[in-house]
Amino acid sequence: MRTKSILDAPKNIVFKALKKTRKVAESANDYALNTTEGVVSETIVVAEQWQTVASKAIKDSLKIAATNQDLVFTALAGMKKHVKLSKKRFTKLIA
């Protein structure tokens, strides 16, 4: 049978402290892991929602840009006709 030495008490204290420290570290690690999973999951959900909003905004903005482009070309065509007509009138006045 083994006899107790004077070093057994501090040794037991150290082992208990290490065991408790490991449990606390595992608990903190589990908490961090769960929190991170929650944040990442929520971020993915929000990103999907914003992607839908951005997609809709891009589609709508392309429609508006096309309409504006049509307006510009229509205005330019009208201006071209007006300049041609004005040229004819001005030429008649001078000649």
Side-chain angles (χ1 to χ4, degrees):
M1 186 167 158
R2 186 173 167 230
T3 61
K4 287 190 174 185
S5 113
I6 196 165
L7 296 176
D8 281 343
K11 184 178 174 183
N12 289 337
I13 292 172
V14 169
F15 281 132
K16 285 180 182 178
L18 286 174
K19 190 174 183 179
K20 187 170 185 174
T21 302
R22 189 181 81 203
K23 285 182 181 179
V24 169
E26 286 176 356
S27 174
N29 188 34
D30 289 342
Y31 177 76
L33 182 63
N34 291 334
T35 302
T36 303
E37 284 180 9
V39 168
V40 169
S41 297
E42 188 66 27
T43 302
I44 289 170
V45 168
V46 171
E48 287 174 351
Q49 292 170 347
W50 276 108
Q51 185 177 8
T52 303
V53 169
S55 175
K56 191 173 186 180
I58 289 170
K59 285 179 184 176
D60 290 344
S61 68
L62 289 176
K63 288 178 187 176
I64 292 171
T67 303
N68 286 343
Q69 184 179 2
D70 290 342
L71 285 172
V72 167
F73 284 122
T74 302
L76 287 173
M79 201 170 169
K80 182 179 174 183
K81 287 179 185 177
H82 181 69
V83 168
K84 283 183 176 181
L85 181 62
S86 296
K87 181 184 170 194
K88 284 181 184 179
R89 288 181 181 167
F90 188 70
T91 305
K92 285 182 183 179
L93 282 175
I94 294 179

